[in-house]
Amino acid sequence: MLDFWNETCVKKSKKPHKCQLCGGEIPVGSAYVRQNGKFDGDFFDRALHPWCCSAIEAYCRSIGENEYDDWAVLDYVQEEVCSSCPEREKGCRVKRVMTCPEAVARYGGTRNE
C-alpha cells in the first residue's frame, strides 16, 4: 500500500540519472520526473523520462489501478506500439521498447530523444 507520494517535474537535470522504468540515461540538462514516497513500508526515490512516466500513467488508466509492475508497463507499451508498427514485419532491432522512437513519440517525447 502507498503511504505517501511526491512527484516533481524537473526541467533541467543537474547530473545524469538512470530512468527507473527503461534503464536508459537521463543526461545532464534533460527534463525528467522525480518520484519519491513510501510503499509497503519501504521508501523509494526514482527518476523517469517524461515519456516513461506517461506510459506508466496510460497503463494505470487502462487497468483501472494505481499500482503497477514495471514489467507489466513495458509489456503494455510493447503491445500498444509494436502491434501496429511497420518495422515489426521487417525484423525490428529495438532491444528495449522505451528506446523505440515510435514509443517515445506515442507517450509524449520527440523521436530524437
Side-chain angles (χ1 to χ4, degrees), residues 30-97:
S30 298
Y32 72 98
V33 178
R34 165 74 64 196
Q35 296 177 342
N36 53 45
K38 189 175 181 183
F39 181 79
D40 283 345
D42 295 322
F43 289 98
F44 66 90
D45 183 41
R46 64 195 225 151
L48 297 160
H49 292 112
W51 58 88
C52 288
C53 188
S54 294
I56 292 168
E57 291 168 359
Y59 171 76
C60 288
R61 279 192 306 274
S62 76
I63 64 166
E65 296 283 335
N66 287 327
E67 294 182 14
Y68 62 91
D69 176 85
D70 288 346
W71 290 107
V73 174
L74 294 172
D75 287 345
Y76 168 81
V77 170
Q78 187 167 13
E79 181 64 30
E80 291 291 307
V81 176
C82 298
S83 62
S84 62
C85 182
E87 290 296 316
R88 181 178 185 183
E89 299 300 320
K90 297 177 189 174
C92 178
R93 296 178 188 254
V94 173
K95 300 289 185 208
R96 294 182 300 161
V97 69

